[in-house]
Amino acid sequence: ATAYMALQQYDNAEAALLKAIALDDARPLPHLRLSEVYEKQNRLADALVAAERALERDPTGQAGLNAEQVRQRIARLRQRLASSSANQSLPH
């Protein structure tokens, strides 16, 4: 998935990460990487859900996740979603 992301092949990265999650849903890192892929694709709601799932699997960072950075990512995604929703409701 990392190589696909570097090549900006986000559909392939997504497929690889979804396969990794299907094999072991408890690992937080594939969920976090999936969040990054979704954000690159401007799929902010999906990115938020994936980031939240990553944090749920490692809320204290004991499995190697930087929990504080993930919390910041979640806050940023929520803010971006709120602003994009506000922009969509404005008259054109």
Side-chain angles (χ1 to χ4, degrees):
T2 303
Y4 288 129
M5 288 176 70
L7 296 170
Q8 298 182 357
Q9 295 180 5
Y10 301 122
D11 291 339
N12 290 332
E14 178 186 5
L17 289 163
L18 289 172
K19 184 175 182 179
I21 290 168
L23 292 172
D24 186 358
D25 183 61
R27 294 177 49 225
L29 195 56
H31 292 278
L32 182 60
R33 296 293 174 250
L34 186 60
S35 174
E36 294 168 2
V37 167
Y38 287 151
E39 186 173 13
K40 294 284 188 185
Q41 295 173 316
N42 204 34
R43 294 169 55 185
L44 300 180
D46 292 331
L48 176 60
V49 169
E52 289 171 337
R53 287 182 179 154
L55 188 60
E56 287 169 3
R57 281 146 183 82
D58 189 17
T60 61
Q62 290 183 347
L65 201 64
N66 185 327
E68 185 54 35
Q69 282 184 353
V70 177
R71 285 185 188 91
Q72 291 171 4
R73 176 179 189 73
I74 289 169
R76 183 173 40 79
L77 287 166
R78 285 182 179 153
Q79 185 177 27
R80 287 184 65 196
L81 272 169
S83 69
S84 71
S85 293
N87 289 338
Q88 289 177 0
S89 64
L90 294 175
H92 295 283

